[in-house]
Amino acid sequence: MSDAILLIDDDAAALRAMGNALEQLGAEVARELDGASGLAACDRLEPDVAVLDAGVIMPDGRDLLDALRQRIGR
């Protein structure tokens, strides 16, 4: 069984590049362009790990990081 990875970034090109690379390594990858969609995907898919743009550029990055920690933080 492959690892499930959730990618959240507001840059579509970055999502595509990271996702493609991870899929080539055998991971199951979900991609979302914003925090709200990312949280919904996290609840629906229960990924093993989430990778996100938590910097200043993504408006809700820090809040999203906190919410993901509560959901995934095992």
Side-chain angles (χ1 to χ4, degrees), residues 5 16-31:
I5 300 173
R16 191 171 33 259
M18 286 187 292
N20 290 347
L22 291 166
E23 285 173 339
Q24 287 180 351
L25 295 172
E28 177 184 337
V29 180
R31 299 166 178 89

Side-chain angles (χ1 to χ4, degrees), residues 3-73:
D3 294 322
I5 300 173
L6 172 60
L7 301 177
I8 308 168
D9 197 316
D10 55 354
D11 181 338
L15 278 180
R16 191 171 33 259
M18 286 187 292
N20 290 347
L22 291 166
E23 285 173 339
Q24 287 180 351
L25 295 172
E28 177 184 337
V29 180
R31 299 166 178 89
E32 297 297 339
L33 284 167
D34 61 65
S37 299
L39 288 176
C42 182
D43 291 339
R44 184 177 66 253
L45 303 171
E46 298 181 0
D48 297 299
V49 67
V51 178
L52 66 143
D53 172 8
V56 223
I57 297 173
M58 190 165 153
D60 58 352
R62 297 296 295 170
D63 294 333
L64 176 58
L65 179 60
D66 292 338
L68 287 169
R69 280 183 177 150
Q70 291 177 359
R71 287 170 164 81
I72 298 176

